[in-house]
Amino acid sequence: MAKNLVIVESPAKAKTIEGYLGKDFVVKSSFGHVRDLAKKGIAIDIEHDFQPNYEVSADKKAIVAELKKLAKAAETVWLATDEDREGEAISWHLYETLNLEKKDTKRITFNEITKAAILKAIDNPRKINKELVDAQQARRVLDRIVGFELSPVLWKKVRPSLSAGRVQSVAVRLIVDRERDINKHNSESFFRVNANFSATKGKIKAELSKQLTSEKQAVDLLNACKGADFVIDDVQQKPATKSPTAPFTTSTLQQEASLKLGFSVSRTMSVAQRLYEAGKITYMRTDSVNFSDTALESAKAEIERAFGKEYSNPTKYKTKSSNAQEAHEAIRPTEFSTHSIEGDSDDERLYSLIWKRSIASQMSNAKLERTTIKIVSNSISEHFQAKGEVIKFDGFLRVYLESNVDQDDEEDEEEGLLPDVKAGEKVISDEIIATERFSRPPSRYAEASLVKKMEELGIGRPSTYAPTISTIQKRGYVEKNEREGNERKYLVKRLKGNELIEEVRTETTGKEKNKLSPTDIGIVVTDFLSEHFERIMDYNFTAKVEEEFDEIAKGLIQWTAMLHKFYDPFHKNVADTLEHSERATGERELGIHPVSGKKIIARIGRFGPMIQVGDEQVDGEKPQFASLQKDQSIGSITLEEALELFKMPRTLGEFEELVVKANVGRFGPYIQHGKIFASIPKEESPMNITFDRAVEIILEKRESDANKLIKTFTEQEDMQLLNGRWGPYLKIGKNNFKLPKDTVAEKLTYDECITISKNQPKGKKKPVKKK
């Protein structure tokens, strides 16, 4: 048995490290946390200083048993989990759960998984940092308390099965607030005027010095330019420099991978985790922009070798946040000499991005020459201006240029080369164009821009951005939408020579892809929480809580004191809201039914957004209900659109002597044909689906169900062996049962199926008695 047991949190990390250590070391994975707060109840003894009740999860008991056995046989146990708070907490939980002895246990950390870093860590062990553990415990306990006490308020006052969270609810509020800003925006038109001039030595593209606010102003200007003489009034040439951007932190990596590679936040973190565990990059959860002295030297040597000494400019960047966590490095390659890697396409692309950003951060500034030309005419009071730039020395631009997460979709033309002109030189106007443009509302958040906003406000930390954004989408509060946009007409007025040409053109506006929008339930929940839990939903308060976690990590405050300060007013707030607040439905009156005269409202119901006609207390009759379609919202649906929903179900015709209907149910739109219920694809609508298309869907459903069925049994009609998403399974009545590993479903007998149902592991459906 090996003298040394090294425990890490992932198998991939274990495999890489094992290759660096000798035969005296065995490296094992804990597969993440081995224990957590008990699932039953709140699992926190609030009256006894918030004492947590931890338990080993069922799927980790075998792992814990194996680790205990190996730890008992080893002379030294090395806890080598990640160096952040989460990693420190995993080590502490391992220490407690495995009943390790202090004298035989050593804690080691490393920023990169390389042989040199691992051996250096072995030479410099430390004890578990209890302040870091307490900061993680405080976050975990506080988030459990908020979720446990706040969610039941939503169940009672809004809708069952909803959830709330300290960070997730504030993140949803950001998206709701942005949506309201968009809806409030009134688009105003203006005219942008551009001109093409000919000089002796070339062409000049210039723009009028101000925008014009009306069509009349645009026409007046163009008429004034008829036959006008234009002259170069001023030429300014100034040297300029462009500096590289700091190396990646977690949030800037997520933003840049979204812009340059089209990755979601969770995809970026998944790929970065693989690269880290394979020893290719440093730790990927960090808000630091620092490089170690060794890394600075390594980058300098590689830049001088690959590009030349003039390209090297070693730079130490300063982290903006005063609360940047625990002396990490920025995200960088472990070997600067490795410009690219071979492997999975995502791995290759993200590694290349990290290498370029890292190496560029240590390169020289780009040297530019910027030229501004001012063109005037006695016929108009405004002037035209042309800008251009020339790169004299490319510096870091040879490798990398940063994208802008806030950049508008309509990009301005890049500044290019300008001809050599002098003040006093006459130029000829080839064409002057006035184009109608429109003011635009704020852009909806993409995942990357939401991360940037959360970081700016201090909401969350590097380890929480990706899980928060995933959670608010999974919970149905926020969704990614693709908007086709709307056609819009705009005016273009062109002056060519002395002829004024007017055109009406069309463009698509509002087209979006992968932008985050709040759902109806997301808006209603946000409004309810903002009204009754103003403190929890306040951006500054959420940031202050994060700062207090940082102070706990530094040993400045006790974690239990911080929780007492938070809990007492919060708990009182929960009790008051449960007792005194009204139910929240987001109700909006649309008008009166043209036939019955009953009131029509849009609101949130038990199963989602819906339209209600009538009120039992007013009319003495049960109201009618209809679910909204996927692309409809209670905030924007019109009376006419609402009335259309009550034409459901639509009878489309008869097929095989049975009526075919299109309808909308709890789980979305569907086709009904006898006992067959077949979902309508999300890109199609039950309002206009044809009879022929409905028959196609019915036949597809039949074929799918036939392929799903493996075997039936004459002994028991409700017993079936079926193909499911995760492979074959046994279905008896309404109960489903897993099949034992390596079982051939087609060969199972009736008696064997009964045995499987009786021997199902704990927590599954009760076995069915043999008939």
Side-chain angles (χ1 to χ4, degrees):
M1 184 64 69
K3 294 178 182 178
N4 297 277
L5 171 64
V6 181
I7 305 176
V8 296
E9 62 273 78
S10 83
K13 189 174 170 183
K15 187 179 178 183
T16 306
I17 292 172
E18 200 160 38
Y20 299 141
L21 299 172
K23 57 180 174 32
D24 288 339
F25 288 81
V26 62
V27 186
K28 289 290 179 182
S29 167
S30 68
F31 293 84
H33 277 282
V34 292
R35 69 175 189 175
D36 194 6
L37 292 173
K39 289 184 178 179
K40 190 175 181 182
I42 193 169
I44 299 160
D45 191 343
I46 292 169
E47 292 181 2
H48 292 87
D49 237 8
F50 300 94
Q51 188 65 37
N53 174 25
Y54 292 115
E55 67 175 11
V56 176
S57 52
D59 61 332
K60 293 293 175 72
K61 286 184 177 175
I63 293 166
V64 168
E66 183 194 10
L67 291 175
K68 274 186 176 179
K69 185 179 176 183
L70 292 168
K72 198 172 181 182
E75 291 177 13
T76 305
V77 177
W78 304 79
L79 300 174
T81 52
D82 291 340
E83 60 177 343
D84 60 4
R85 295 171 194 172
E86 202 70 28
E88 204 71 20
I90 292 173
S91 279
W92 178 72
H93 282 298
L94 283 165
Y95 180 84
E96 296 278 315
T97 307
L98 303 180
N99 301 316
L100 301 176
E101 297 286 337
K102 261 189 184 180
K103 61 184 176 63
D104 303 328
T105 307
K106 295 179 180 180
R107 171 80 172 113
I108 57 171
T109 59
F110 33 84
N111 188 49
E112 59 187 59
I113 304 175
T114 59
K115 187 170 185 177
I118 302 302
L119 295 179
K120 185 180 177 183
I122 294 284
D123 290 338
N124 296 278
R126 61 170 174 81
K127 294 178 181 177
I128 290 171
N129 185 326
K130 195 58 170 58
E131 282 87 6
L132 293 187
V133 174
D134 286 346
Q136 192 276 342
Q137 278 200 111
R139 179 188 291 278
R140 185 74 189 91
V141 168
L142 183 61
D143 287 348
R144 171 62 74 92
I145 288 170
V146 171
F148 196 85
E149 297 211 0
L150 212 50
S151 296
V153 177
L154 297 180
W155 303 343
K156 186 174 180 181
K157 300 296 183 178
V158 184
R159 200 180 85 186
S161 302
L162 294 175
S163 73
R166 184 183 58 83
V167 177
Q168 76 169 50
S169 297
V170 177
V172 175
R173 184 192 159 189
L174 278 170
I175 294 163
V176 171
D177 286 353
R178 176 59 58 90
E179 196 70 20
R180 291 212 161 109
D181 288 342
I182 292 167
N183 292 336
K184 279 190 287 188
H185 177 79
N186 288 317
S187 187
E188 295 179 352
S189 71
F190 60 92
F191 283 80
R192 184 178 288 152
V193 183
N194 295 287
N196 296 321
F197 294 101
S198 289
T200 307
K201 293 184 179 179
K203 302 284 187 182
I204 303 172
K205 286 185 176 181
E207 186 173 337
L208 195 70
S209 54
K210 72 169 192 176
Q211 292 172 349
L212 306 179
T213 56
S214 69
E215 183 183 355
K216 182 180 183 303
Q217 283 185 357
V219 171
D220 289 347
L221 179 112
L222 293 174
N223 283 328
C225 288
K226 285 180 179 177
D229 294 323
F230 289 91
V231 66
I232 304 292
D233 182 62
D234 186 36
V235 179
Q236 290 186 2
Q237 289 181 325
K238 292 181 181 179
T241 58
K242 190 173 283 201
S243 301
T245 316
F248 281 133
T249 61
T250 301
S251 69
T252 55
L253 176 64
Q254 290 168 346
Q255 291 164 43
E256 198 74 342
S258 172
L259 294 166
K260 278 192 160 65
L261 309 179
F263 285 9
S264 68
V265 166
S266 57
R267 183 178 173 189
T268 297
M269 294 311 291
S270 176
V271 177
Q273 179 96 27
R274 284 203 303 269
L275 291 173
Y276 166 66
E277 289 175 349
K280 304 296 184 188
I281 64 169
T282 53
Y283 192 54
M284 65 287 156
R285 279 187 275 274
T286 175
D287 44 16
S288 169
V289 291
N290 298 325
F291 276 177
S292 67
D293 291 340
T294 306
L296 288 169
E297 284 299 317
S298 176
K300 180 185 176 186
E302 183 55 27
I303 291 165
E304 290 181 359
R305 186 198 69 77
F307 306 107
K309 282 189 176 182
E310 68 275 21
Y311 282 89
S312 176
N313 180 32
T315 306
K316 282 197 172 185
Y317 293 87
K318 191 175 180 183
T319 303
K320 289 179 183 177
S321 169
S322 60
N323 292 313
Q325 278 188 36
E326 299 91 50
H328 296 162
E329 273 193 82
I331 302 167
R332 61 166 176 83
T334 54
E335 294 290 341
F336 282 100
S337 57
T338 305
H339 293 210
S340 60
I341 61 169
E342 289 186 7
D344 178 272
S345 171
D346 282 3
D347 293 8
E348 290 178 0
R349 294 169 72 204
L350 192 67
Y351 179 85
S352 176
L353 188 69
I354 292 167
W355 183 86
K356 287 176 180 176
R357 174 78 163 235
S358 301
I359 208 82
S361 75
Q362 301 303 309
M363 292 176 74
S364 303
N365 292 343
K367 293 176 183 176
L368 316 169
E369 184 179 80
R370 288 192 175 137
T371 303
T372 304
I373 300 173
K374 183 179 177 184
I375 302 171
V376 299
S377 171
N378 291 329
S379 302
I380 59 172
S381 57
E382 296 84 7
H383 67 272
F384 286 93
Q385 186 170 275
K387 290 183 178 181
E389 68 179 30
V390 178
I391 296 174
K392 296 290 189 180
F393 172 65
D394 56 1
F396 77 95
L397 292 176
R398 186 163 175 180
V399 174
Y400 184 81
L401 181 62
E402 185 191 24
S403 303
N404 184 357
V405 74
D406 295 319
Q407 192 162 308
D408 289 335
D409 296 333
E410 275 184 26
E411 295 181 15
D412 291 330
E413 287 185 25
E414 290 185 10
E415 296 175 357
L417 290 171
L418 293 172
D420 184 17
V421 293
K422 290 181 173 55
E425 182 181 336
K426 287 187 177 181
V427 291
I428 298 167
S429 68
D430 300 327
E431 188 175 38
I432 302 175
I433 307 165
T435 306
E436 187 180 19
R437 296 288 78 208
F438 301 86
S439 63
R440 286 181 294 166
S443 296
R444 289 183 177 86
Y445 289 110
E447 286 190 359
S449 53
L450 182 60
V451 166
K452 185 180 180 186
K453 188 66 177 177
M454 289 171 70
E455 186 180 40
E456 284 173 3
L457 295 173
I459 299 167
R461 284 295 181 264
S463 59
T464 63
Y465 299 139
T468 299
I469 290 172
S470 295
T471 298
I472 62 178
Q473 291 177 72
K474 285 177 187 169
R475 299 271 163 84
Y477 293 143
V478 169
E479 59 189 8
K480 275 186 192 172
N481 286 324
E482 287 194 26
R483 289 179 168 81
E484 292 301 318
N486 302 306
E487 262 197 5
R488 176 173 67 190
K489 292 180 178 179
Y490 67 100
L491 300 174
V492 177
K493 298 178 184 293
R494 291 164 43 226
L495 179 66
K496 200 158 188 175
N498 286 324
E499 185 184 1
L500 183 60
I501 304 161
E502 300 191 6
E503 300 174 39
V504 178
R505 298 180 185 174
T506 57
E507 63 183 353
T508 301
T509 180
K511 190 171 184 177
E512 287 182 339
K513 189 176 182 181
N514 290 333
K515 293 293 182 77
L516 298 169
S517 303
T519 60
D520 282 337
I521 192 65
I523 293 170
V524 171
V525 167
T526 297
D527 288 347
F528 178 82
L529 292 176
S530 296
E531 181 183 351
H532 298 288
F533 294 91
E534 188 177 346
R535 187 162 161 258
I536 288 285
M537 297 295 281
D538 181 68
Y539 299 137
N540 293 327
F541 175 75
T542 307
K544 182 72 172 67
V545 170
E546 293 293 345
E547 288 171 9
E548 289 178 341
F549 291 148
D550 295 334
E551 288 172 1
I552 294 167
K554 294 171 186 172
L556 300 176
I557 58 174
Q558 287 291 317
W559 72 283
T560 49
M562 177 261 184
L563 288 174
H564 277 294
K565 180 182 162 190
F566 171 88
Y567 181 73
D568 295 337
F570 170 69
H571 182 67
K572 184 176 182 297
N573 194 180
V574 169
D576 287 347
T577 304
L578 278 170
E579 187 175 349
H580 300 117
S581 68
E582 298 292 324
R583 280 187 61 84
T585 64
E587 184 177 308
R588 175 173 158 256
E589 187 172 338
L590 302 180
I592 302 298
H593 196 284
V595 177
S596 67
K598 294 178 181 177
K599 184 169 75 172
I600 300 178
I601 59 170
R603 68 177 180 88
I604 293 291
R606 186 179 177 189
F607 301 120
M610 54 180 269
I611 301 297
Q612 177 180 325
V613 177
D615 184 331
E616 191 168 1
Q617 292 181 340
V618 176
D619 308 318
E621 298 176 8
K622 283 193 174 181
Q624 291 178 280
F625 302 100
S627 297
L628 268 66
Q629 293 185 57
K630 184 173 172 56
D631 59 346
Q632 293 176 325
S633 165
I634 59 174
S636 59
I637 192 169
T638 64
L639 176 63
E640 292 72 23
E641 290 167 341
L643 291 170
E644 284 292 316
L645 294 174
F646 287 92
K647 294 177 181 177
M648 294 292 185
R650 283 176 62 220
T651 299
L652 304 179
E654 284 193 10
F655 175 60
E656 296 176 347
E657 299 182 356
L658 290 173
V659 174
V660 177
K661 295 178 182 178
N663 204 355
V664 179
R666 180 180 171 187
F667 302 110
Y670 64 91
I671 297 295
Q672 182 181 354
H673 178 247
K675 291 184 178 180
I676 291 178
F677 293 84
S679 295
I680 296 173
K682 63 180 181 180
E683 63 274 7
E684 299 179 55
S685 168
M687 305 294 291
N688 50 33
I689 196 165
T690 64
F691 171 74
D692 290 341
R693 177 66 183 122
V695 170
E696 283 179 20
I697 291 173
I698 293 164
L699 295 175
E700 286 166 8
K701 172 71 172 169
R702 269 190 199 160
E703 186 178 350
S704 170
D705 288 350
N707 293 335
K708 186 178 178 183
L709 183 65
I710 299 172
K711 192 174 183 179
T712 57
F713 298 88
T714 54
E715 297 93 330
Q716 192 168 334
E717 284 184 9
D718 64 352
M719 180 186 285
Q720 296 175 310
L721 286 163
L722 302 169
N723 272 315
R725 186 178 176 187
W726 312 113
Y729 66 97
L730 172 65
K731 182 179 177 75
I732 303 178
K734 292 183 178 180
N735 296 333
N736 298 333
F737 302 94
K738 285 183 179 179
L739 299 184
K741 196 176 179 182
D742 300 327
T743 300
V744 179
E746 291 85 347
K747 295 182 179 179
L748 285 173
T749 64
Y750 172 71
D751 289 333
E752 286 170 336
C753 289
I754 290 294
T755 303
I756 287 169
S757 74
K758 287 179 177 177
N759 295 331
Q760 195 76 175
K762 287 181 181 178
K764 302 295 177 187
K765 300 285 185 183
K766 291 179 183 178
V768 179
K769 290 180 183 178
K770 187 173 178 180
K771 289 188 180 179

